[in-house]
mmCIF file of all heavy atoms in Angstrom:
data_model
loop_
_atom_site.group_PDB
_atom_site.id
_atom_site.type_symbol
_atom_site.label_atom_id
_atom_site.label_comp_id
_atom_site.label_asym_id
_atom_site.label_seq_id
_atom_site.Cartn_x
_atom_site.Cartn_y
_atom_site.Cartn_z
ATOM 1 N N ALA A 1 -27.035 -75.835 7.944
ATOM 2 C CA ALA A 1 -28.267 -76.095 7.194
ATOM 3 C C ALA A 1 -28.511 -75.019 6.144
ATOM 4 O O ALA A 1 -28.923 -75.318 5.008
ATOM 5 C CB ALA A 1 -29.448 -76.185 8.151
ATOM 6 N N ALA A 2 -28.267 -73.746 6.493
ATOM 7 C CA ALA A 2 -28.482 -72.652 5.546
ATOM 8 C C ALA A 2 -27.493 -72.715 4.398
ATOM 9 O O ALA A 2 -27.845 -72.447 3.237
ATOM 10 C CB ALA A 2 -28.379 -71.311 6.270
ATOM 11 N N ALA A 3 -26.245 -73.043 4.699
ATOM 12 C CA ALA A 3 -25.233 -73.177 3.647
ATOM 13 C C ALA A 3 -25.625 -74.281 2.670
ATOM 14 O O ALA A 3 -25.556 -74.106 1.442
ATOM 15 C CB ALA A 3 -23.872 -73.462 4.264
ATOM 16 N N GLU A 4 -26.033 -75.407 3.200
ATOM 17 C CA GLU A 4 -26.393 -76.531 2.340
ATOM 18 C C GLU A 4 -27.652 -76.232 1.535
ATOM 19 O O GLU A 4 -27.752 -76.614 0.363
ATOM 20 C CB GLU A 4 -26.558 -77.788 3.188
ATOM 21 C CG GLU A 4 -25.226 -78.266 3.773
ATOM 22 C CD GLU A 4 -25.375 -79.449 4.718
ATOM 23 O OE1 GLU A 4 -26.522 -79.731 5.155
ATOM 24 O OE2 GLU A 4 -24.344 -80.078 5.036
ATOM 25 N N ALA A 5 -28.606 -75.521 2.146
ATOM 26 C CA ALA A 5 -29.817 -75.156 1.422
ATOM 27 C C ALA A 5 -29.511 -74.222 0.248
ATOM 28 O O ALA A 5 -30.233 -74.213 -0.752
ATOM 29 C CB ALA A 5 -30.811 -74.497 2.367
ATOM 30 N N ALA A 6 -28.444 -73.424 0.370
ATOM 31 C CA ALA A 6 -28.043 -72.522 -0.716
ATOM 32 C C ALA A 6 -27.215 -73.222 -1.785
ATOM 33 O O ALA A 6 -26.822 -72.596 -2.770
ATOM 34 C CB ALA A 6 -27.252 -71.344 -0.131
ATOM 35 N N GLY A 7 -26.917 -74.508 -1.571
ATOM 36 C CA GLY A 7 -26.162 -75.262 -2.558
ATOM 37 C C GLY A 7 -24.679 -75.362 -2.286
ATOM 38 O O GLY A 7 -23.916 -75.814 -3.146
ATOM 39 N N LEU A 8 -24.241 -74.958 -1.108
ATOM 40 C CA LEU A 8 -22.833 -75.033 -0.740
ATOM 41 C C LEU A 8 -22.542 -76.320 0.027
ATOM 42 O O LEU A 8 -23.428 -76.902 0.656
ATOM 43 C CB LEU A 8 -22.439 -73.833 0.110
ATOM 44 C CG LEU A 8 -22.679 -72.451 -0.507
ATOM 45 C CD1 LEU A 8 -22.335 -71.357 0.485
ATOM 46 C CD2 LEU A 8 -21.860 -72.282 -1.791
ATOM 47 N N THR A 9 -21.293 -76.738 -0.008
ATOM 48 C CA THR A 9 -20.837 -77.901 0.745
ATOM 49 C C THR A 9 -19.937 -77.425 1.884
ATOM 50 O O THR A 9 -18.943 -76.729 1.637
ATOM 51 C CB THR A 9 -20.050 -78.867 -0.153
ATOM 52 O OG1 THR A 9 -20.900 -79.321 -1.208
ATOM 53 C CG2 THR A 9 -19.552 -80.069 0.642
ATOM 54 N N VAL A 10 -20.284 -77.756 3.107
ATOM 55 C CA VAL A 10 -19.505 -77.324 4.270
ATOM 56 C C VAL A 10 -18.270 -78.212 4.421
ATOM 57 O O VAL A 10 -18.383 -79.439 4.497
ATOM 58 C CB VAL A 10 -20.367 -77.359 5.544
ATOM 59 C CG1 VAL A 10 -19.519 -77.015 6.773
ATOM 60 C CG2 VAL A 10 -21.530 -76.383 5.415
ATOM 61 N N LEU A 11 -17.105 -77.563 4.474
ATOM 62 C CA LEU A 11 -15.843 -78.270 4.600
ATOM 63 C C LEU A 11 -15.324 -78.300 6.034
ATOM 64 O O LEU A 11 -14.618 -79.225 6.432
ATOM 65 C CB LEU A 11 -14.772 -77.614 3.714
ATOM 66 C CG LEU A 11 -15.066 -77.497 2.227
ATOM 67 C CD1 LEU A 11 -13.915 -76.769 1.542
ATOM 68 C CD2 LEU A 11 -15.285 -78.871 1.604
ATOM 69 N N ASP A 12 -15.644 -77.258 6.813
ATOM 70 C CA ASP A 12 -15.061 -77.139 8.152
ATOM 71 C C ASP A 12 -16.036 -76.401 9.050
ATOM 72 O O ASP A 12 -16.691 -75.441 8.623
ATOM 73 C CB ASP A 12 -13.729 -76.374 8.070
ATOM 74 C CG ASP A 12 -12.901 -76.477 9.338
ATOM 75 O OD1 ASP A 12 -13.255 -77.262 10.241
ATOM 76 O OD2 ASP A 12 -11.882 -75.759 9.441
ATOM 77 N N LEU A 13 -16.140 -76.838 10.302
ATOM 78 C CA LEU A 13 -16.967 -76.170 11.302
ATOM 79 C C LEU A 13 -16.283 -76.360 12.649
ATOM 80 O O LEU A 13 -16.040 -77.492 13.070
ATOM 81 C CB LEU A 13 -18.377 -76.760 11.332
ATOM 82 C CG LEU A 13 -19.344 -76.114 12.336
ATOM 83 C CD1 LEU A 13 -19.730 -74.708 11.881
ATOM 84 C CD2 LEU A 13 -20.597 -76.971 12.508
ATOM 85 N N ARG A 14 -15.977 -75.244 13.320
ATOM 86 C CA ARG A 14 -15.316 -75.307 14.628
ATOM 87 C C ARG A 14 -15.964 -74.290 15.559
ATOM 88 O O ARG A 14 -16.455 -73.257 15.113
ATOM 89 C CB ARG A 14 -13.825 -74.974 14.514
ATOM 90 C CG ARG A 14 -13.070 -75.742 13.448
ATOM 91 C CD ARG A 14 -11.593 -75.383 13.464
ATOM 92 N NE ARG A 14 -11.023 -75.380 12.130
ATOM 93 C CZ ARG A 14 -9.782 -75.032 11.832
ATOM 94 N NH1 ARG A 14 -8.960 -74.654 12.815
ATOM 95 N NH2 ARG A 14 -9.352 -75.034 10.581
ATOM 96 N N GLU A 15 -15.933 -74.571 16.860
ATOM 97 C CA GLU A 15 -16.495 -73.678 17.865
ATOM 98 C C GLU A 15 -15.460 -73.348 18.927
ATOM 99 O O GLU A 15 -14.530 -74.134 19.182
ATOM 100 C CB GLU A 15 -17.703 -74.317 18.549
ATOM 101 C CG GLU A 15 -18.915 -74.495 17.683
ATOM 102 C CD GLU A 15 -20.125 -74.918 18.500
ATOM 103 O OE1 GLU A 15 -20.522 -74.150 19.409
ATOM 104 O OE2 GLU A 15 -20.650 -76.009 18.239
ATOM 105 N N ALA A 16 -15.640 -72.184 19.586
ATOM 106 C CA ALA A 16 -14.757 -71.796 20.685
ATOM 107 C C ALA A 16 -15.528 -70.978 21.714
ATOM 108 O O ALA A 16 -16.415 -70.195 21.354
ATOM 109 C CB ALA A 16 -13.567 -70.987 20.159
ATOM 110 N N ARG A 17 -15.213 -71.196 22.982
ATOM 111 C CA ARG A 17 -15.751 -70.420 24.104
ATOM 112 C C ARG A 17 -14.570 -69.650 24.701
ATOM 113 O O ARG A 17 -13.587 -70.250 25.143
ATOM 114 C CB ARG A 17 -16.386 -71.344 25.138
ATOM 115 C CG ARG A 17 -17.044 -70.660 26.334
ATOM 116 C CD ARG A 17 -17.755 -71.717 27.164
ATOM 117 N NE ARG A 17 -18.460 -71.153 28.315
ATOM 118 C CZ ARG A 17 -17.944 -71.092 29.535
ATOM 119 N NH1 ARG A 17 -16.706 -71.541 29.785
ATOM 120 N NH2 ARG A 17 -18.658 -70.573 30.527
ATOM 121 N N LEU A 18 -14.652 -68.328 24.704
ATOM 122 C CA LEU A 18 -13.498 -67.469 24.932
ATOM 123 C C LEU A 18 -13.697 -66.589 26.163
ATOM 124 O O LEU A 18 -14.657 -65.813 26.232
ATOM 125 C CB LEU A 18 -13.251 -66.592 23.696
ATOM 126 C CG LEU A 18 -13.198 -67.370 22.372
ATOM 127 C CD1 LEU A 18 -13.307 -66.429 21.199
ATOM 128 C CD2 LEU A 18 -11.930 -68.205 22.290
ATOM 129 N N ARG A 19 -12.800 -66.699 27.116
ATOM 130 C CA ARG A 19 -12.906 -65.940 28.358
ATOM 131 C C ARG A 19 -12.677 -64.447 28.083
ATOM 132 O O ARG A 19 -11.697 -64.050 27.454
ATOM 133 C CB ARG A 19 -11.879 -66.451 29.370
ATOM 134 C CG ARG A 19 -12.034 -65.904 30.776
ATOM 135 C CD ARG A 19 -11.090 -66.647 31.718
ATOM 136 N NE ARG A 19 -11.327 -66.284 33.106
ATOM 137 C CZ ARG A 19 -10.672 -65.320 33.756
ATOM 138 N NH1 ARG A 19 -9.730 -64.619 33.125
ATOM 139 N NH2 ARG A 19 -10.944 -65.059 35.021
ATOM 140 N N THR A 20 -13.601 -63.633 28.564
ATOM 141 C CA THR A 20 -13.556 -62.183 28.367
ATOM 142 C C THR A 20 -13.623 -61.503 29.732
ATOM 143 O O THR A 20 -14.485 -61.835 30.546
ATOM 144 C CB THR A 20 -14.727 -61.718 27.496
ATOM 145 O OG1 THR A 20 -14.730 -62.475 26.283
ATOM 146 C CG2 THR A 20 -14.627 -60.242 27.164
ATOM 147 N N VAL A 21 -12.711 -60.553 29.980
ATOM 148 C CA VAL A 21 -12.565 -59.943 31.308
ATOM 149 C C VAL A 21 -12.707 -58.427 31.188
ATOM 150 O O VAL A 21 -12.036 -57.798 30.360
ATOM 151 C CB VAL A 21 -11.190 -60.294 31.915
ATOM 152 C CG1 VAL A 21 -11.026 -59.650 33.290
ATOM 153 C CG2 VAL A 21 -11.014 -61.808 32.013
ATOM 154 N N PHE A 22 -13.580 -57.843 32.016
ATOM 155 C CA PHE A 22 -13.771 -56.393 32.078
ATOM 156 C C PHE A 22 -13.253 -55.894 33.419
ATOM 157 O O PHE A 22 -13.713 -56.332 34.479
ATOM 158 C CB PHE A 22 -15.253 -56.036 31.934
ATOM 159 C CG PHE A 22 -15.834 -56.369 30.598
ATOM 160 C CD1 PHE A 22 -16.431 -57.607 30.375
ATOM 161 C CD2 PHE A 22 -15.780 -55.459 29.548
ATOM 162 C CE1 PHE A 22 -16.972 -57.922 29.141
ATOM 163 C CE2 PHE A 22 -16.321 -55.778 28.308
ATOM 164 C CZ PHE A 22 -16.920 -57.006 28.100
ATOM 165 N N HIS A 23 -12.331 -54.934 33.366
ATOM 166 C CA HIS A 23 -11.708 -54.427 34.587
ATOM 167 C C HIS A 23 -12.413 -53.210 35.168
ATOM 168 O O HIS A 23 -12.161 -52.854 36.317
ATOM 169 C CB HIS A 23 -10.231 -54.105 34.335
ATOM 170 C CG HIS A 23 -9.409 -55.322 34.045
ATOM 171 N ND1 HIS A 23 -8.918 -56.140 35.025
ATOM 172 C CD2 HIS A 23 -9.023 -55.871 32.861
ATOM 173 C CE1 HIS A 23 -8.240 -57.140 34.481
ATOM 174 N NE2 HIS A 23 -8.291 -56.993 33.163
ATOM 175 N N ASP A 24 -13.249 -52.537 34.374
ATOM 176 C CA ASP A 24 -14.013 -51.412 34.925
ATOM 177 C C ASP A 24 -15.281 -51.209 34.110
ATOM 178 O O ASP A 24 -15.443 -51.768 33.018
ATOM 179 C CB ASP A 24 -13.182 -50.122 35.008
ATOM 180 C CG ASP A 24 -12.720 -49.597 33.655
ATOM 181 O OD1 ASP A 24 -13.486 -49.676 32.681
ATOM 182 O OD2 ASP A 24 -11.588 -49.089 33.574
ATOM 183 N N VAL A 25 -16.187 -50.407 34.651
ATOM 184 C CA VAL A 25 -17.492 -50.246 34.014
ATOM 185 C C VAL A 25 -17.405 -49.383 32.756
ATOM 186 O O VAL A 25 -18.265 -49.477 31.873
ATOM 187 C CB VAL A 25 -18.508 -49.690 35.035
ATOM 188 C CG1 VAL A 25 -18.316 -48.188 35.243
ATOM 189 C CG2 VAL A 25 -19.945 -49.995 34.608
ATOM 190 N N ALA A 26 -16.363 -48.558 32.609
ATOM 191 C CA ALA A 26 -16.180 -47.812 31.361
ATOM 192 C C ALA A 26 -15.987 -48.770 30.195
ATOM 193 O O ALA A 26 -16.519 -48.552 29.094
ATOM 194 C CB ALA A 26 -14.992 -46.866 31.477
ATOM 195 N N ALA A 27 -15.219 -49.838 30.418
ATOM 196 C CA ALA A 27 -15.021 -50.842 29.372
ATOM 197 C C ALA A 27 -16.338 -51.512 29.008
ATOM 198 O O ALA A 27 -16.606 -51.786 27.835
ATOM 199 C CB ALA A 27 -13.996 -51.877 29.831
ATOM 200 N N VAL A 28 -17.170 -51.768 30.002
ATOM 201 C CA VAL A 28 -18.484 -52.374 29.755
ATOM 202 C C VAL A 28 -19.346 -51.437 28.903
ATOM 203 O O VAL A 28 -19.976 -51.855 27.924
ATOM 204 C CB VAL A 28 -19.187 -52.706 31.083
ATOM 205 C CG1 VAL A 28 -20.627 -53.125 30.847
ATOM 206 C CG2 VAL A 28 -18.424 -53.798 31.825
ATOM 207 N N VAL A 29 -19.385 -50.163 29.263
ATOM 208 C CA VAL A 29 -20.194 -49.194 28.519
ATOM 209 C C VAL A 29 -19.719 -49.103 27.067
ATOM 210 O O VAL A 29 -20.536 -49.136 26.128
ATOM 211 C CB VAL A 29 -20.135 -47.814 29.198
ATOM 212 C CG1 VAL A 29 -20.730 -46.727 28.304
ATOM 213 C CG2 VAL A 29 -20.867 -47.857 30.536
ATOM 214 N N TYR A 30 -18.434 -48.988 26.869
ATOM 215 C CA TYR A 30 -17.886 -48.916 25.511
ATOM 216 C C TYR A 30 -18.260 -50.164 24.723
ATOM 217 O O TYR A 30 -18.716 -50.075 23.569
ATOM 218 C CB TYR A 30 -16.367 -48.777 25.590
ATOM 219 C CG TYR A 30 -15.654 -48.850 24.269
ATOM 220 C CD1 TYR A 30 -15.590 -47.762 23.417
ATOM 221 C CD2 TYR A 30 -15.027 -50.032 23.867
ATOM 222 C CE1 TYR A 30 -14.926 -47.835 22.199
ATOM 223 C CE2 TYR A 30 -14.362 -50.120 22.658
ATOM 224 C CZ TYR A 30 -14.313 -49.019 21.827
ATOM 225 O OH TYR A 30 -13.656 -49.108 20.626
ATOM 226 N N PHE A 31 -18.095 -51.333 25.316
ATOM 227 C CA PHE A 31 -18.394 -52.590 24.638
ATOM 228 C C PHE A 31 -19.872 -52.667 24.245
ATOM 229 O O PHE A 31 -20.208 -53.039 23.116
ATOM 230 C CB PHE A 31 -18.023 -53.765 25.548
ATOM 231 C CG PHE A 31 -18.236 -55.107 24.915
ATOM 232 C CD1 PHE A 31 -17.235 -55.711 24.181
ATOM 233 C CD2 PHE A 31 -19.440 -55.779 25.064
ATOM 234 C CE1 PHE A 31 -17.435 -56.949 23.584
ATOM 235 C CE2 PHE A 31 -19.655 -57.011 24.478
ATOM 236 C CZ PHE A 31 -18.646 -57.603 23.736
ATOM 237 N N LEU A 32 -20.758 -52.294 25.158
ATOM 238 C CA LEU A 32 -22.188 -52.383 24.873
ATOM 239 C C LEU A 32 -22.634 -51.370 23.825
ATOM 240 O O LEU A 32 -23.584 -51.617 23.073
ATOM 241 C CB LEU A 32 -22.989 -52.206 26.161
ATOM 242 C CG LEU A 32 -22.849 -53.339 27.185
ATOM 243 C CD1 LEU A 32 -23.617 -53.016 28.453
ATOM 244 C CD2 LEU A 32 -23.308 -54.672 26.608
ATOM 245 N N ARG A 33 -21.972 -50.228 23.749
ATOM 246 C CA ARG A 33 -22.273 -49.255 22.704
ATOM 247 C C ARG A 33 -21.811 -49.753 21.338
ATOM 248 O O ARG A 33 -22.421 -49.425 20.309
ATOM 249 C CB ARG A 33 -21.596 -47.922 23.008
ATOM 250 C CG ARG A 33 -22.176 -47.181 24.196
ATOM 251 C CD ARG A 33 -21.354 -45.917 24.515
ATOM 252 N NE ARG A 33 -21.279 -45.049 23.357
ATOM 253 C CZ ARG A 33 -20.136 -44.532 22.870
ATOM 254 N NH1 ARG A 33 -18.963 -44.819 23.452
ATOM 255 N NH2 ARG A 33 -20.156 -43.754 21.821
ATOM 256 N N LYS A 34 -20.741 -50.523 21.320
ATOM 257 C CA LYS A 34 -20.134 -50.952 20.069
ATOM 258 C C LYS A 34 -20.726 -52.275 19.573
ATOM 259 O O LYS A 34 -21.024 -52.429 18.387
ATOM 260 C CB LYS A 34 -18.616 -51.098 20.270
ATOM 261 C CG LYS A 34 -17.796 -51.215 19.008
ATOM 262 C CD LYS A 34 -16.321 -51.222 19.377
ATOM 263 C CE LYS A 34 -15.424 -51.229 18.146
ATOM 264 N NZ LYS A 34 -15.325 -49.898 17.521
ATOM 265 N N VAL A 35 -20.900 -53.217 20.472
ATOM 266 C CA VAL A 35 -21.408 -54.544 20.118
ATOM 267 C C VAL A 35 -22.888 -54.556 20.466
ATOM 268 O O VAL A 35 -23.315 -55.075 21.503
ATOM 269 C CB VAL A 35 -20.618 -55.642 20.850
ATOM 270 C CG1 VAL A 35 -21.016 -57.020 20.344
ATOM 271 C CG2 VAL A 35 -19.114 -55.437 20.658
ATOM 272 N N VAL A 36 -23.688 -53.963 19.599
ATOM 273 C CA VAL A 36 -25.043 -53.530 19.960
ATOM 274 C C VAL A 36 -26.014 -54.686 20.195
ATOM 275 O O VAL A 36 -27.052 -54.498 20.836
ATOM 276 C CB VAL A 36 -25.612 -52.576 18.882
ATOM 277 C CG1 VAL A 36 -24.797 -51.294 18.829
ATOM 278 C CG2 VAL A 36 -25.625 -53.252 17.506
ATOM 279 N N TRP A 37 -25.698 -55.880 19.683
ATOM 280 C CA TRP A 37 -26.633 -57.000 19.871
ATOM 281 C C TRP A 37 -26.523 -57.618 21.265
ATOM 282 O O TRP A 37 -27.361 -58.419 21.653
ATOM 283 C CB TRP A 37 -26.382 -58.069 18.808
ATOM 284 C CG TRP A 37 -24.954 -58.489 18.694
ATOM 285 C CD1 TRP A 37 -24.275 -59.384 19.489
ATOM 286 C CD2 TRP A 37 -24.007 -58.015 17.731
ATOM 287 N NE1 TRP A 37 -22.975 -59.493 19.083
ATOM 288 C CE2 TRP A 37 -22.779 -58.669 17.995
ATOM 289 C CE3 TRP A 37 -24.090 -57.123 16.655
ATOM 290 C CZ2 TRP A 37 -21.633 -58.444 17.233
ATOM 291 C CZ3 TRP A 37 -22.946 -56.894 15.918
ATOM 292 C CH2 TRP A 37 -21.737 -57.547 16.199
ATOM 293 N N THR A 38 -25.503 -57.241 22.051
ATOM 294 C CA THR A 38 -25.360 -57.805 23.398
ATOM 295 C C THR A 38 -26.531 -57.385 24.275
ATOM 296 O O THR A 38 -27.113 -58.204 24.998
ATOM 297 C CB THR A 38 -24.035 -57.358 24.031
ATOM 298 O OG1 THR A 38 -22.957 -57.632 23.128
ATOM 299 C CG2 THR A 38 -23.780 -58.077 25.350
ATOM 300 N N VAL A 39 -26.873 -56.099 24.228
ATOM 301 C CA VAL A 39 -28.040 -55.558 24.932
ATOM 302 C C VAL A 39 -28.735 -54.615 23.949
ATOM 303 O O VAL A 39 -28.401 -53.434 23.878
ATOM 304 C CB VAL A 39 -27.646 -54.819 26.225
ATOM 305 C CG1 VAL A 39 -28.888 -54.235 26.908
ATOM 306 C CG2 VAL A 39 -26.902 -55.752 27.179
ATOM 307 N N PRO A 40 -29.670 -55.109 23.145
ATOM 308 C CA PRO A 40 -30.325 -54.252 22.150
ATOM 309 C C PRO A 40 -30.951 -53.012 22.787
ATOM 310 O O PRO A 40 -31.598 -53.091 23.833
ATOM 311 C CB PRO A 40 -31.393 -55.177 21.554
ATOM 312 C CG PRO A 40 -30.846 -56.556 21.761
ATOM 313 C CD PRO A 40 -30.141 -56.508 23.080
ATOM 314 N N GLY A 41 -30.716 -51.858 22.157
ATOM 315 C CA GLY A 41 -31.261 -50.613 22.673
ATOM 316 C C GLY A 41 -30.521 -50.062 23.868
ATOM 317 O O GLY A 41 -31.022 -49.165 24.557
ATOM 318 N N PHE A 42 -29.296 -50.526 24.096
ATOM 319 C CA PHE A 42 -28.539 -50.059 25.264
ATOM 320 C C PHE A 42 -28.271 -48.561 25.206
ATOM 321 O O PHE A 42 -27.860 -48.030 24.176
ATOM 322 C CB PHE A 42 -27.195 -50.789 25.352
ATOM 323 C CG PHE A 42 -26.278 -50.223 26.402
ATOM 324 C CD1 PHE A 42 -26.429 -50.591 27.729
ATOM 325 C CD2 PHE A 42 -25.289 -49.294 26.076
ATOM 326 C CE1 PHE A 42 -25.612 -50.068 28.706
ATOM 327 C CE2 PHE A 42 -24.464 -48.766 27.046
ATOM 328 C CZ PHE A 42 -24.627 -49.152 28.369
ATOM 329 N N THR A 43 -28.511 -47.878 26.321
ATOM 330 C CA THR A 43 -28.010 -46.537 26.580
ATOM 331 C C THR A 43 -27.585 -46.480 28.041
ATOM 332 O O THR A 43 -28.087 -47.250 28.879
ATOM 333 C CB THR A 43 -29.064 -45.437 26.327
ATOM 334 O OG1 THR A 43 -30.122 -45.579 27.300
ATOM 335 C CG2 THR A 43 -29.640 -45.513 24.917
ATOM 336 N N VAL A 44 -26.674 -45.587 28.345
ATOM 337 C CA VAL A 44 -26.207 -45.450 29.726
ATOM 338 C C VAL A 44 -27.356 -45.090 30.649
ATOM 339 O O VAL A 44 -27.506 -45.652 31.750
ATOM 340 C CB VAL A 44 -25.080 -44.406 29.808
ATOM 341 C CG1 VAL A 44 -24.784 -44.036 31.261
ATOM 342 C CG2 VAL A 44 -23.815 -44.948 29.135
ATOM 343 N N GLU A 45 -28.196 -44.163 30.239
ATOM 344 C CA GLU A 45 -29.285 -43.722 31.118
ATOM 345 C C GLU A 45 -30.286 -44.842 31.370
ATOM 346 O O GLU A 45 -30.759 -45.024 32.496
ATOM 347 C CB GLU A 45 -29.972 -42.483 30.522
ATOM 348 C CG GLU A 45 -29.124 -41.233 30.599
ATOM 349 C CD GLU A 45 -28.598 -40.967 32.005
ATOM 350 O OE1 GLU A 45 -29.396 -41.049 32.963
ATOM 351 O OE2 GLU A 45 -27.401 -40.702 32.156
#
């Protein structure tokens, strides 16, 4: 809708649901620090 409202014509739209696996909590902490919208305002404490 936003693309069309700006005057663009949409040629392609595809979706995917992707399995993501965390093997330890260090990986979780790193991910949440980097991908900040997952948990806004995330800190370890």
Side-chain angles (χ1 to χ4, degrees):
E4 292 175 345
L8 303 176
T9 299
V10 175
L11 303 178
D12 193 8
L13 181 71
R14 309 183 215 176
E15 292 189 60
R17 183 174 182 264
L18 309 166
R19 190 172 188 267
T20 306
V21 179
F22 294 91
H23 294 278
D24 63 38
V25 78
V28 171
V29 169
Y30 173 80
F31 183 89
L32 292 176
R33 291 175 57 230
K34 194 175 184 78
V35 188
V36 295
W37 51 81
T38 308
V39 178
F42 171 82
T43 66
V44 168
E45 288 308 313

